[in-house]
Amino acid sequence: MQQERRFLWGGAISAAQAEGHYVTEGRLPSNFDFLPLDDRRLKAVYKNQADSILQEEPERIYPGRFGNNFYEQYQQDIQLLHELGVNSFRFSISWSRIFPTGEESEPNSAGLDFYDRVLTELEKYDMEPVVTLSHFEIPIHLVEKYNGWENLEVVDLFVHYAKTVMTAFGHRVKLWIPFNEMNMVLHIPFIGGGVLFDTDKDNLSVQFQAGHHQLLANARVIEAGRKINSEMQFGAMLAAGKTYAYTCNPNDVFAALQQEKENLLFSDVQVFGEYPTFFQAYMKKKRLQLRISETDLEILRKNTVDFVSFSYYSSACTAAEESGKERVATNGYTTIRNPYLPKSKSVWQNDPLGLRITLNQLYDRYKKPLFIVENGIGTQDTFSDEQVHDDYRIVYIQEHVKNLLLAVDEDGIDLMGYLIWGIIDLPSVSEGRISKRYGVVYVDQDDENKGTQKRYKKDSFYFYQKVIASNGQYVFKKEGE
Ligand code: BG6
């Protein structure tokens, strides 16, 4: 690849899914620590049912509270990643580890110390840290007191947290992602925004209001960060994946276009510094009641992002008339099954060319450096004799890397890097279970959080190692070469 910057090959995790130790050394729980394993998990949580979710249930398994024990095993994990050859690692900082309730004025020094140690370990191996400030986590106290991101007060509290962290680490971390997948607040509001719904309220407005507050916080964090260290770069982060029209019937094409506008709304604001023009009409049509001040708009205008990062697992598919069509799960919502994509080992449909299409779409639209900060296949693995023969993961990585290389070399996309999601197995967001595994490193832990938590290299570890060592070219090697 001909680029001046070093291309970042790596892996990603989030605090809530990896660290465990949810009340260790002063940390208090976040929304993620209360997620149940049953079908309430991805649904909007109504205030009159909130007790059932927010109350301790001794019998309930809370995967977020255990993670994969990164909190204790980070040194060994980073050492393994070094052996893999990665030069970049994305992790998130847990707000509740730094400000346990979210309202303290002084940070919990044990929390800052932990991330200081993680950074020291990354520096030892010359790995570029990519730090997410909010990855589906908000202190539970702020959910209970303010209804999470619905309330403007939370913006100040988040900016205080972000400033504290950037002051502590701004000279060691260049790449910052204030919010993970901001568009998810429209699909999984409790996870994405810490908001509980009222039965008699206009909840779509609540979701967009929470989204607006995150946009505002994002802009204010950028403003503050640039004062702390002008070298820092900030990224938008969206759950991406081209939405295809089910057929070339203009009605289907138009339906797909509309869905994309909604999906790209938040990144549009983060890149262009203003809401897209369609949003005025959209607000009217959906009768959204939003509190957006002129000062907010000014802050958004002045503080736009430097790069656009995104997760890509699959494309989506939509039609003007969706009823009667088979649906399939994708990241945070369901979509029409695309009949042109073969069934694979994962529930989510695999579409490697869709990654190239998405890269082109985002680059044409934003003309900013792009960064794939999550990609991977989440599925069951068979662990036997301390080995995992995950040929399906090898194929997945190979096909996606081929497409990103083609996007760079043939389509001229400015791509900063490629990070595999859940590089070390961790509990999934949508299913809650660790048995939906993404890693190239296996963690001996089951869905009831039992196991040794020892790490083992899967076959895909050795494959990805060769991919990285060849700066990607290994994916084009034919068998026997
Ligand atoms: C993204 C999230 O939505 O997808 C991750 O940023 C998540 O936190 C990943 O784990 C995969 O989704 P899931 O539901 O399989 O864990």
Side-chain angles (χ1 to χ4, degrees), residues 368-468:
K368 293 263 178 204
L370 301 180
F371 194 176
I372 303 162
V373 293
E374 287 186 28
N375 176 245
I377 180 171
T379 190
Q380 312 254 333
D381 287 333
T382 306
F383 180 62
S384 120
D385 289 336
E386 304 198 341
Q387 294 181 24
V388 177
H389 302 303
D390 55 345
D391 48 324
Y392 40 88
R393 187 165 290 107
I394 291 176
V395 171
Y396 186 98
I397 296 170
Q398 177 167 27
E399 293 306 313
H400 284 78
V401 171
K402 263 187 200 166
N403 275 285
L404 74 86
L405 293 174
L406 292 170
V408 171
D409 291 340
E410 295 187 5
D411 309 334
I413 306 294
D414 181 1
L415 183 62
M416 296 164 65
Y418 172 78
L419 310 182
I420 288 190
W421 172 250
I423 187 98
I424 294 168
D425 288 343
L426 40 67
S428 115
V429 169
S430 53
E431 294 185 12
R433 298 178 169 82
I434 197 170
S435 55
K436 185 184 185 192
R437 296 173 185 274
Y438 283 88
V440 301
V441 174
Y442 184 86
V443 176
D444 176 27
Q445 182 177 324
D446 68 13
D447 289 341
E448 296 185 338
N449 298 323
K450 297 200 179 93
T452 62
Q453 291 185 322
K454 264 182 81 173
R455 279 53 171 154
Y456 297 88
K457 294 168 200 159
K458 303 181 192 177
D459 289 356
S460 56
F461 180 98
Y462 300 102
F463 178 77
Y464 191 39
Q465 192 176 44
K466 290 184 184 131
V467 172
I468 296 172

Side-chain angles (χ1 to χ4, degrees), residues 7-280:
F7 189 82
L8 299 177
W9 293 103
I13 61 164
S14 74
Q17 290 164 269
E19 289 176 7
H21 297 267
Y22 78 115
V23 285
T24 300
E25 294 189 293
R27 186 191 188 277
L28 288 176
S30 71
N31 54 338
F32 204 87
D33 299 313
F34 283 94
L35 291 178
L37 272 181
D38 52 45
D39 65 357
R40 291 172 297 172
R41 193 172 175 83
L42 292 185
K43 292 204 178 121
V45 183
Y46 282 84
K47 283 182 184 157
N48 61 359
Q49 307 158 337
D51 282 354
S52 70
I53 227 182
L54 299 183
Q55 259 167 23
E56 298 290 328
E57 291 174 12
E59 296 304 308
R60 207 203 290 173
I61 295 164
Y62 294 94
R65 299 178 174 190
F66 288 82
N68 64 17
N69 198 24
F70 180 75
Y71 194 70
E72 282 182 336
Q73 303 202 37
Y74 68 95
Q75 278 179 304
Q76 181 199 336
D77 285 349
I78 293 171
Q79 212 279 325
L80 263 171
L81 295 177
H82 169 63
E83 205 182 311
L84 179 62
V86 311
N87 59 14
S88 177
F89 181 58
R90 172 179 175 229
F91 65 97
S92 71
I93 292 185
S94 169
W95 186 355
S96 347
R97 227 179 255 299
I98 310 299
F99 291 101
T101 66
E103 293 203 289
E104 295 82 356
S105 51
E106 293 304 316
N108 169 29
S109 57
L112 286 174
D113 288 350
F114 171 64
Y115 298 107
D116 176 86
R117 294 197 297 278
V118 170
L119 286 172
T120 302
E121 228 36 45
L122 296 177
E123 283 154 6
K124 196 153 117 190
Y125 301 114
D126 190 25
M127 276 183 219
E128 176 100 39
V130 180
V131 174
T132 312
L133 287 167
S134 175
H135 193 126
F136 294 162
E137 263 197 291
I138 175 168
I140 201 67
H141 168 77
L142 301 184
V143 173
E144 288 168 328
K145 182 165 173 189
Y146 296 109
N147 203 29
W149 282 97
E150 186 192 357
N151 196 311
L152 181 63
E153 302 273 337
V154 171
V155 175
D156 278 343
L157 297 170
F158 184 78
V159 174
H160 177 53
Y161 150 67
K163 273 186 186 168
T164 306
V165 169
M166 292 189 298
T167 305
F169 306 129
H171 54 296
R172 300 164 77 186
V173 177
K174 189 171 164 211
L175 301 174
W176 296 83
I177 297 173
F179 288 91
N180 183 61
E181 294 183 341
M182 210 185 271
N183 47 345
M184 276 296 149
V185 75
L186 300 182
H187 298 292
I188 41 176
F190 180 67
I191 296 177
V195 288
L196 298 165
F197 280 6
D198 270 311
T199 36
D200 55 354
K201 208 164 154 184
D202 162 19
N203 291 310
L204 192 61
S205 290
V206 173
Q207 281 166 282
F208 276 99
Q209 189 66 58
H212 174 69
H213 288 153
Q214 292 190 346
L215 284 171
L216 186 59
N218 176 76
R220 288 192 44 204
V221 168
I222 295 175
E223 184 179 40
R226 292 201 171 122
K227 285 183 192 144
I228 293 168
N229 177 1
S230 58
E231 299 281 290
M232 292 197 281
Q233 290 186 9
F234 295 89
M237 175 2 177
L238 72 148
K242 176 77 186 164
T243 302
Y244 302 137
Y246 189 64
T247 71
C248 53
N249 179 331
N251 291 321
D252 287 345
V253 175
F254 191 65
L257 180 74
Q258 279 183 309
Q259 192 170 311
E260 294 221 298
K261 283 187 177 195
E262 204 177 284
N263 205 34
L264 297 172
L265 174 78
F266 296 109
S267 42
D268 280 356
V269 179
Q270 287 176 295
V271 173
F272 301 126
E274 57 186 17
Y275 279 94
T277 41
F278 88 92
F279 194 59
Q280 280 296 338

